[in-house]
Amino acid sequence: MNTKVNLAGVELKNPVMTASGTFGSGVEYSELIDLNRLGAVVTKGVASTPWTGNPTPRIAETYGGMINAIGLQNPGVKVFCERDLPFLEKFDTKVIVNVCGKTKEEYCRVVDRLSDENIDMLEINISCPNVKEGGIAFGQDPFAVEEITAAVKKYARQPVIMKLSPNVADITEMARAAECGGADVLSLINTLTGMKIDINKRTFAVANRTGGLSGPCVKPVAVRMVYQVANTVKLPIIGMGGIATAEDALEFILAGATAVSVGTANFFNPRATLDVIEGIESYMQKNKIQDIQELIGVVK
């Protein structure tokens, strides 16, 4: 039975990886699960300089999910390369580094710094606010999507994954823009913008007022967007958004995703990634499917 998938020339032993921001760089989770069993580890976002993130409180539980406004807190690319990469290199899994920035130049500096490192792929988080364009996220403007994609591709030696924001009128327009810019792979969806109010304190549940909504509640939206994009562009897709079980993951694969990322589920079930891997294998055995390629995008 073959569970291997290929993303722009990078072969994963299975289609299951972690979603950026929910797994750190794997250090803490390595005490709970065997990282060697994962198709890939996707790191938390890395910027050119350390980011302190947003003020607290930064996380609030919601019905069927959570809202976070961490603000992409990270130690910067220098510390990441010195501390986190050597740890990840110990494991037999692919390493995908998520990159964030506030300007095109910041993205390019990080990508350039990572170009010679032992990294398999780069995932570019374009849900960051573009400070030179009034704070509108790169991923909400198709022209900006194409521009930032083309810019990082000039510096990248690894295949580039563009992570699409769902907070747009037409996700396919953004997917086409990324494809035109030279993206190798697309990942979607990032979090939906949400808000929660604490009725007892009569104030916002997170200090930033709004935050990114994730978890099982966003899955139907995510599956729909993956399906739309899969039928619009020719690039491989990493599907994510509310995946907690193998059944969830299989929905994304049937909709057109070549691989999947498990995110918020890691917080309430540290074994979620392994459960998904084992569940996909069981499904394939039960249905006499010899190759996972037989499942990708079969629902039209």
Side-chain angles (χ1 to χ4, degrees):
M1 196 170 64
N2 178 39
T3 60
K4 293 178 182 177
V5 297
N6 190 292
L7 295 172
V10 178
E11 186 177 82
L12 279 60
K13 66 182 72 175
N14 63 64
V16 182
M17 60 185 76
T18 60
S20 174
T22 66
F23 208 76
S25 289
V27 176
E28 296 84 0
Y29 280 92
S30 67
E31 300 175 10
L32 303 170
I33 67 169
D34 181 5
L35 301 189
N36 295 300
R37 295 182 62 190
L38 301 177
V41 171
V42 184
T43 71
K44 182 169 172 50
V46 178
S48 59
T49 57
W51 288 7
T52 56
N54 291 326
T56 58
R58 305 196 293 192
I59 294 178
E61 188 173 356
T62 65
Y63 184 80
M66 61 180 278
I67 287 178
N68 91 83
I70 303 299
L72 295 168
Q73 178 181 337
N74 74 92
V77 68
K78 183 176 184 293
V79 171
F80 173 80
C81 289
E82 293 172 351
R83 183 191 67 189
D84 297 343
L85 270 185
F87 169 79
L88 287 170
E89 288 171 356
K90 300 174 186 176
F91 298 93
D92 178 25
T93 187
K94 301 301 181 184
V95 176
I96 301 174
V97 178
N98 183 279
V99 175
C100 51
K102 295 173 182 172
T103 65
K104 181 174 66 177
E105 292 74 20
E106 285 186 21
Y107 279 102
C108 291
R109 278 199 294 273
V110 179
V111 171
D112 187 39
R113 173 65 182 82
L114 295 172
S115 63
D116 291 325
E117 297 291 344
N118 187 21
I119 293 164
D120 296 287
M121 306 183 80
L122 300 172
E123 181 183 60
I124 312 301
N125 177 6
I126 54 175
S127 292
C128 300
N130 184 350
V131 296
K132 288 189 175 181
E133 299 294 336
I136 298 172
F138 285 92
Q140 291 180 322
D141 178 350
F143 299 104
V145 171
E146 184 172 349
E147 182 182 28
I148 193 70
T149 305
V152 299
K153 280 290 292 181
K154 291 178 181 177
Y155 291 88
R157 294 191 181 180
Q158 302 90 347
V160 168
I161 306 163
M162 299 306 291
K163 186 170 188 178
L164 303 185
S165 168
N167 302 305
V168 295
D170 183 358
I171 192 71
T172 64
E173 185 179 20
M174 304 306 160
R176 282 192 294 264
E179 186 175 42
C180 289
D184 299 292
V185 180
L186 300 178
S187 63
L188 61 148
I189 61 173
N190 208 327
T191 55
L192 289 155
T193 303
M195 178 183 286
K196 181 177 180 179
I197 291 174
D198 186 323
I199 64 168
N200 295 309
K201 295 181 180 179
R202 299 178 190 176
T203 189
F204 303 100
V206 295
N208 195 58
R209 299 188 178 187
T210 63
L213 176 66
S214 63
C217 59
V218 309
K219 192 190 76 176
V221 175
V223 172
R224 184 261 296 177
M225 289 191 171
V226 165
Y227 174 80
Q228 288 179 305
V229 170
N231 287 279
T232 300
V233 301
K234 296 180 180 179
L235 302 176
I237 295 168
I238 303 167
M240 64 193 74
I243 296 175
T245 66
E247 289 78 7
D248 297 331
L250 286 161
E251 277 193 62
F252 280 88
I253 292 169
L254 292 169
T258 298
V260 294
S261 288
V262 178
T264 300
N266 292 309
F267 297 135
F268 59 82
N269 175 18
R271 268 190 53 89
T273 47
L274 301 189
D275 289 347
V276 171
I277 292 168
E278 292 166 3
I280 291 174
E281 291 171 350
S282 296
Y283 176 89
M284 291 175 66
Q285 289 172 346
K286 179 182 177 182
N287 291 277
K288 297 181 173 56
I289 294 164
Q290 295 301 311
D291 193 322
I292 197 163
Q293 303 299 322
E294 298 173 38
L295 297 173
I296 298 171
V298 300
V299 175
K300 298 295 185 184

